[in-house]
Amino acid sequence: MPKLSQYELEREANIARNRALLEELELKQALEDLGIPKVKPKAAQNKAAKPVQPKRKREHQAEPEAPRRQSARLRNVIDVNESPAKRRKREAELELQRAKEAEERLKAEEHARIAKLPRHQDLRLSILVGEEAAEDADKVASELVNATRKAYPRSIGDPASFDFEDENKDSAAVKELRQRLANMKVISRAKVTQNRIYSCAYHPEVTKDLIFFGDKHGQIGIWDARAPPEESADGDGDISIPENGEGGRYWNLQVHWPATSRSSISCVKFDPINSHNVYTTSYDCTIRCLSFTTGVSREIYATDEALICSMDFNPSGHELWFSDGTGGVTHLDLREEKSKARRYSLSEQKIGCVSLNPTRPYFLLTASKVDTLSEHINIEAWQTLNSCDRIWDVRRLKNIVTDLSDQAPPTPPASSPGGPELNHDPAIEQGPIEFSNEIVADFLQSKQGKSCVRAEWRHDKSVSSAYWDPRGRQIISTSYDDTLRLWDFNTSALESNDRFPSSRPFSRIRHNCQTGKWLTILRAQWTPNPDVYPHFTIGNMEHSLDIFSCKGELITCLLDRQRISAVQAVTASHPSIVERAVSGNASGRCVLWAPADTGYS
C-alpha cells in the first residue's frame, strides 16, 4: 500500500482521538450515528488493495409510453347510434375541413417559396425599410431629398493634368497632398449594417457626409456620418442623447431580396449625371436603381445565369457595362429595351471587375479572377487561364454585332416572377444577344478584331480589381500575389488605333491582400476628385487605411489603435472634398476619416 501523506496521517489521528473520546463518554450509539469509521488494525491496512471493479451499467429506464391513437368512436366523438344521413353529413364536413387545411398549407408553402425569390417589381420605400420601420419611410424619403438637392454631375479629369516634367514640381505636389491628409483621424463611426460590408459609394453632396454601403444580405446602409444623434425622451419627459458611441444617423433599405448571402451587393454606383439615382448590382442576378426623388427602386436588368460582379457607366450615364461570374461582360443602353443588351464572353473564368476610361469611354478594363487553390488545375491548364488585366476597345468589340449577328443565338427568357406584384410577363421578354467564347475568339483572330485587345498583363495569381484613374491615363490593380501594380499610358498610345507598345507596370507595391474567407476582398480605389493630385486608398490587414500617390508613394497611414480593431476592407473617398475618406469592416461598422479641426464631434 502506498505511503500515507502527512495530511492523511493527521486525519487518521484525529479520527482515533474522537473515537476514543466518545467511547470514554460511553456514547457508542452517537458514535454509530455520526458514521465515524472504525480504525482498521495496522495489519489490515497493509493488505493488498483489491482490483478496481468495473462499474455496473445502470439499467435503462423505460420511457413513458406515448399515448396510443384511439378511434373517434372510443373518444366518444362519434355516436355509435347515429343515422346514415347524419354520418354522411359528418363525413362531408370532415372532408371539407381537410380540403381547406390542405389549401391553406399550399398557400403558405407558395408564399414561403415566393418570399425566397428575387423581387422584380417596383419597390417603394415603405417596402424597402421593412414592416418594423414602415412608419419611418416618409422620414427617410424627406431626409434623402433634403440631403441631395443638387444633381452633382461627375467631374471629368484632364489626361494632361499633374503631368510634371520637373520632378521638383511633382515632389511639391506630393508634399502638399501629404500635409492636407496628415491630420485626418476618426471623426465618426457607427454600425451601419448588421452584416459584412461588400461595397460602398460616397455621395457628392458637399454639406453632408452621406455614404451608401452595400452589405452581404442585400441591404443598403445609408449613413449621414456627421448628423447630430437623434434625441429621445424618457418616462419623465427628459430629453437624452444615447451614449452608445454611435455617430451620425443611418437607415437600412432592403433593396435586394432574399435577405441572405444570395443577395450580396457587389457594387454601388451613382448616376454620373444625376446623383439622385443610385445603382446596385447583386448576387441575386439583378441590377436595381433607387431614385431619391420618387422613392422607388426599379429593376434595370435581371438574369438567371450568372452572378453580377461589377459595373461602370460611361460619362453620359446612358450606357452601362457590367461583368458576371461566368466570364461575360454585358453592354446595356438604358435608353433601349433590356432585350437589346449584348453579352460578350471574354473569359472562361470570372471577371470580377470592369472599369471604363472616364476620358476615353471606349477603353474597357477587365480584371479576371481565378481560384489558384483548385486541385484540378494542372500546369498546362494554369498557363492558359485568364488571370490578367485587359484593355478592350469596345468600338471594335461592337463590330461583332454587325459582322456576326447571324451567329448570335437568342438566350432563354428572363428570370421568373419574384412576387405577386410583378405585372410583366417574363415569357415575352428575351435575354441579351449572346456572343460565346468561340465567336469572340474567331473575331479576335480576324482582321477587324486584331486590335480589339489593346493591352494585357498576366498576374501571378488572381486579380481582385483594376480601375482607371479620373484622368483616364493610369491604372491601379490589386492581386492575390500581394502586389499593387500601377500603369501609366501616354497620350500617343491612347490615341493610336494599334495595340499599345508596352503594357508593363511602372510600379509595384508590396501589400498584404490575403483577406481569407471572412473578410471582403481588398480593392485599391482611386480618389474620384480630378482637381487634386491623383491618389488611391486601400485597406490594410494591420487595421489601417493606407493612401498612396499615383507614383506609388505612401502618403499617409490612417490608424487608431484605441477605436479601430478590425480590418478596414472597403474604402471610398469624397468626389470633391480632399480630406474625406470612409471605410467599412466585416461586422458592418463604418468609419469616417477627416481632419480634427472640422468642427464636428
Side-chain angles (χ1 to χ4, degrees):
M1 184 175 180
K3 185 177 180 181
L4 298 177
S5 64
Q6 184 65 29
Y7 169 79
E8 291 173 338
L9 292 175
E10 292 179 0
R11 179 173 177 275
E12 294 292 341
N14 289 336
I15 292 175
R17 285 195 299 269
N18 293 337
R19 184 180 180 83
L21 178 62
L22 292 174
E23 287 180 350
E24 289 178 359
L25 297 175
E26 297 181 355
L27 297 176
K28 293 184 180 181
Q29 185 64 32
L31 184 65
E32 295 176 0
D33 293 339
L34 289 176
I36 299 178
K38 296 182 179 180
V39 180
K40 296 182 180 179
K42 189 174 182 180
Q45 296 180 4
N46 294 334
K47 289 184 179 180
K50 293 183 179 180
V52 178
Q53 301 295 328
K55 294 182 178 180
R56 296 182 179 179
K57 296 182 179 180
R58 295 182 179 180
E59 295 183 1
H60 179 70
Q61 296 181 355
E63 297 181 357
E65 185 178 358
R68 296 182 179 181
R69 181 178 178 182
Q70 293 182 340
S71 65
R73 179 181 60 82
L74 295 178
R75 287 186 282 114
N76 296 325
V77 176
I78 300 177
D79 185 5
V80 294
N81 299 322
E82 68 178 352
S83 62
K86 188 176 181 180
R87 186 181 74 250
R88 288 193 296 270
K89 180 180 179 182
R90 177 180 54 79
E91 291 177 351
E93 293 176 351
L94 183 61
E95 187 66 24
L96 183 61
Q97 181 181 358
R98 289 174 180 173
K100 184 177 180 181
E101 293 176 354
E103 183 180 359
E104 293 177 353
R105 184 175 65 255
L106 291 176
K107 286 183 178 179
E109 292 176 355
E110 180 65 13
H111 185 272
R113 185 189 69 82
I114 292 176
K116 295 180 181 179
L117 295 175
R119 299 182 294 196
H120 299 277
Q121 68 273 22
D122 292 348
L123 304 173
R124 292 198 166 273
L125 282 175
S126 57
I127 298 177
L128 299 180
V129 298
E131 296 179 358
E132 298 179 356
E135 64 277 3
D136 297 334
D138 294 337
K139 181 180 179 181
V140 175
S142 62
E143 290 283 352
L144 291 178
V145 172
N146 293 333
T148 58
R149 295 179 180 178
K150 295 179 62 177
Y152 291 108
R154 185 174 66 182
S155 301
I156 303 299
D158 181 6
S161 62
F162 302 101
D163 188 9
F164 303 110
E165 295 182 359
D166 187 355
E167 293 185 0
N168 293 330
K169 292 183 178 180
D170 190 86
S171 300
V174 173
K175 182 179 179 180
E176 180 185 0
L177 179 63
R178 183 176 283 112
Q179 290 176 350
R180 297 182 67 175
L181 301 179
N183 296 326
M184 295 175 65
K185 69 171 190 177
V186 177
I187 296 299
S188 179
R189 61 192 183 113
K191 193 173 178 62
V192 179
T193 70
Q194 299 301 316
N195 299 287
R196 183 199 304 184
I197 301 294
Y198 265 52
S199 55
C200 73
Y202 214 127
H203 194 274
E205 172 67 34
V206 295
T207 62
K208 293 177 176 288
D209 287 290
L210 200 62
I211 308 99
F212 287 62
F213 294 93
D215 77 354
K216 184 178 180 180
H217 286 182
Q219 275 194 348
I220 287 183
I222 305 175
W223 187 32
D224 190 353
R226 292 187 288 117
E230 293 185 351
E231 300 177 347
S232 59
D234 56 16
D236 299 330
D238 297 330
I239 302 298
S240 61
I241 299 176
E243 299 180 357
N244 54 4
E246 299 291 281
R249 288 180 291 175
Y250 53 86
W251 307 272
N252 296 115
L253 306 181
Q254 190 69 50
V255 178
H256 294 270
W257 190 262
T260 65
S261 58
R262 293 164 48 193
S263 301
S264 302
I265 298 179
S266 55
C267 187
V268 181
K269 292 279 187 181
F270 289 104
D271 189 317
I273 300 300
N274 184 3
S275 60
H276 292 164
N277 300 325
V278 59
Y279 290 78
T280 54
T281 63
S282 172
Y283 288 169
D284 67 358
C285 305
T286 66
I287 302 176
R288 300 191 70 92
C289 173
L290 172 62
S291 173
F292 304 156
T293 55
T294 63
V296 175
S297 171
R298 61 188 179 91
E299 183 180 274
I300 302 301
Y301 187 83
T303 179
D304 282 337
E305 298 181 354
L307 304 180
I308 301 177
C309 305
S310 178
M311 67 174 169
D312 201 4
F313 288 92
N314 69 340
S316 67
H318 297 313
E319 298 181 32
L320 176 66
W321 288 84
F322 56 91
S323 64
D324 57 51
T326 59
V329 171
T330 303
H331 172 258
L332 176 64
D333 193 326
L334 300 178
R335 297 164 296 184
E336 299 178 344
E337 297 292 334
K338 304 176 189 177
S339 58
K340 294 185 179 181
R342 293 170 289 276
R343 182 182 182 276
Y344 307 92
S345 294
L346 304 183
S347 173
E348 294 182 356
Q349 306 296 325
K350 174 183 177 181
I351 297 180
C353 184
V354 292
S355 177
L356 274 176
N357 190 304
T359 57
R360 296 176 176 86
Y362 44 83
F363 286 142
L364 176 69
L365 175 63
T366 62
S368 302
K369 191 176 179 183
V370 178
D371 183 8
T372 60
L373 302 179
S374 175
E375 299 179 356
H376 303 288
I377 297 179
N378 54 32
I379 299 300
E380 293 77 8
W382 169 247
Q383 293 175 351
T384 63
L385 291 177
N386 297 321
S387 176
C388 64
D389 299 327
R390 280 179 174 165
I391 301 176
W392 302 81
D393 190 336
V394 298
R395 296 173 299 181
R396 298 180 182 272
L397 192 63
K398 291 179 181 179
N399 289 337
I400 307 180
V401 179
T402 302
D403 298 340
L404 302 173
S405 59
D406 56 336
Q407 301 181 30
T411 56
S415 54
S416 59
E421 298 179 15
L422 185 62
N423 52 18
H424 74 272
D425 186 0
I428 298 177
E429 294 187 6
Q430 297 295 322
I433 302 172
E434 289 276 358
F435 299 96
S436 63
N437 287 322
E438 293 77 11
I439 295 177
V440 174
D442 292 342
F443 176 76
L444 296 179
Q445 296 297 325
S446 65
K447 183 178 180 180
Q448 296 85 352
K450 185 176 181 181
S451 300
C452 187
V453 179
R454 289 299 188 91
E456 70 175 311
W457 179 263
R458 294 184 179 273
H459 295 251
D460 298 333
K461 292 185 179 180
S462 300
V463 189
S464 306
S465 64
Y467 298 102
W468 288 101
D469 77 326
R471 302 175 299 170
R473 55 174 291 179
Q474 283 193 283
I475 293 174
I476 177 66
S477 76
T478 313
S479 174
Y480 269 109
D481 60 6
D482 294 338
T483 305
L484 308 180
R485 291 176 174 84
L486 281 163
W487 287 263
D488 193 347
F489 300 98
N490 55 40
T491 304
S492 59
L494 294 173
E495 292 180 350
S496 172
N497 292 326
D498 300 326
R499 191 179 177 92
F500 295 166
S502 175
S503 58
R504 182 176 296 276
F506 75 89
S507 177
R508 302 188 185 195
I509 308 170
R510 299 299 300 173
H511 191 83
N512 185 3
C513 299
Q514 305 301 316
T515 54
K517 181 179 179 181
W518 306 108
L519 296 178
T520 303
I521 298 172
L522 300 183
R523 293 181 174 89
Q525 299 278 359
W526 290 103
T527 297
N529 188 351
D531 301 326
V532 68
Y533 190 84
H535 57 283
F536 61 88
T537 61
I538 186 172
N540 193 305
M541 296 300 290
E542 297 298 328
H543 305 171
S544 66
L545 177 63
D546 296 346
I547 303 179
F548 290 87
S549 73
C550 61
K551 301 294 184 181
E553 302 174 82
L554 180 62
I555 299 297
T556 185
C557 179
L558 304 180
L559 183 65
D560 190 335
R561 296 291 187 188
Q562 301 297 325
R563 306 178 70 181
I564 305 297
S565 59
V567 177
Q568 304 302 297
V570 181
T571 67
S573 302
H574 196 285
S576 58
I577 303 177
V578 180
E579 303 89 349
R580 291 288 190 280
V582 294
S583 57
N585 63 23
S587 69
R589 184 168 292 279
C590 306
V591 178
L592 171 65
W593 305 84
D597 57 353
T598 54
Y600 300 97
S601 58

